[in-house]
Amino acid sequence: MTDKIRFSLFLLLLFMIGIIGYWIFRIMNNAVPYVDQWTREPVEQLANTGMYSIFRWITELGSSTFTIPLVIIMGMILWRMYQNWLPALVFSGGTLATHYLNVAIKHLVNRERPSILAAANAEGHSFPSGHAMISMVCYGLLAYFFSKKVKSSKKKLFIECFFALLILLIGVSRYIINVHYLTDVLAGFFIGFLCLIACIYLFQFLMRKQRSV
């Protein structure tokens, strides 16, 4: 990676931190971010439509009732696949840590949801979206660990695109079924992505330490 690309990514990171910081500032001062003002009407018109029903099903792929068994099963699969406990630990620990970080931020920002839907794990605070944030880490790590075991570049691309699409759909589903504002979802994606990168760097660091022992 060239210095120009690194600098551009750094500027993009600062820009996104600034945007999300501004959203948090407005929310904590009881003001609705402009993005949410502009995007409320379309989603309210989707209630009781076919699209709503589809995304109501998709959102379950990011719910705790689905992800908890998934993390346990995939943790065991990763352990067996790598013949090493480290991928399983980083995967399960990273997903769990992201959950607790999400809860902490939600309590700090203390934003009410646009609507409550207990059946879709949509209770409590709203910002940032836990589905978007946790799915980014959970499914992002699965994409990372599975693609590392595949030699074909086409298969790697398929795995990465499949999980990227899944993450996108799960996050967007929270907006479509009207249990999160759009800024909740976008912030969840961004913070989740930072957590994902941190987990990958931690895994690579621990692997180097493990090999040097």
Side-chain angles (χ1 to χ4, degrees):
M1 189 183 293
T2 65
D3 290 339
K4 272 190 175 181
I5 294 175
R6 287 196 186 94
F7 183 68
S8 298
L9 290 174
F10 177 70
L11 289 180
L12 179 61
L13 176 65
L14 289 181
F15 175 75
M16 288 303 301
I17 290 173
I19 290 292
I20 292 174
Y22 175 68
W23 289 345
I24 292 174
F25 174 79
R26 285 188 61 84
I27 292 166
M28 295 182 73
N29 284 275
N30 300 313
V32 180
Y34 297 117
V35 174
D36 293 329
Q37 295 179 32
W38 301 331
T39 55
R40 291 315 304 149
E41 187 177 346
V43 73
E44 288 170 355
Q45 295 174 352
L46 292 174
N48 302 317
T49 64
M51 180 178 289
Y52 179 95
S53 299
I54 292 170
F55 279 95
R56 175 65 186 84
W57 179 83
I58 291 172
T59 204
E60 291 302 316
L61 300 177
S63 67
S64 58
T65 53
F66 184 84
T67 55
I68 290 174
L70 176 73
V71 168
I72 294 171
I73 293 168
M74 287 299 154
M76 291 187 291
I77 289 174
L78 289 174
W79 194 337
R80 184 176 179 83
M81 182 185 297
Y82 277 80
Q83 294 295 301
N84 190 329
W85 54 268
L86 196 53
L89 179 64
V90 171
F91 168 66
S92 56
T95 303
L96 183 62
T98 303
H99 162 72
Y100 284 119
L101 177 61
N102 177 260
V103 171
I105 298 173
K106 280 183 173 178
H107 282 293
L108 176 66
V109 179
N110 193 29
R111 186 185 202 183
E112 292 185 6
R113 292 177 183 270
S115 65
I116 300 295
L117 184 59
N121 292 121
E123 296 178 291
H125 303 306
S126 185
F127 186 97
S129 165
H131 276 60
M133 189 169 161
I134 297 167
S135 293
M136 177 66 77
V137 174
C138 177
Y139 293 112
L141 285 174
L142 285 181
Y144 172 75
F145 286 125
F146 286 163
S147 63
K148 278 179 68 68
K149 283 295 183 179
V150 174
K151 294 181 180 179
S152 167
S153 58
K154 288 184 179 179
K155 288 182 179 178
K156 283 180 185 286
L157 181 62
F158 174 79
I159 291 171
E160 291 165 358
C161 288
F162 171 79
F163 281 109
L165 180 60
L166 182 60
I167 292 166
L168 176 65
L169 291 175
I170 291 172
V172 170
S173 73
R174 307 304 280 175
Y175 167 70
I176 296 295
I177 67 173
N178 199 27
V179 296
H180 277 292
Y181 295 98
L182 185 59
T183 51
D184 299 340
V185 175
L186 295 176
F189 279 148
F190 178 71
I191 300 171
F193 182 73
L194 294 182
C195 293
L196 172 62
I197 297 301
C199 287
I200 291 172
Y201 273 106
L202 176 63
F203 170 72
Q204 293 173 346
F205 170 77
L206 293 175
M207 282 295 291
R208 287 194 296 269
K209 294 285 286 185
Q210 194 178 70
R211 287 167 183 161
S212 65
V213 174

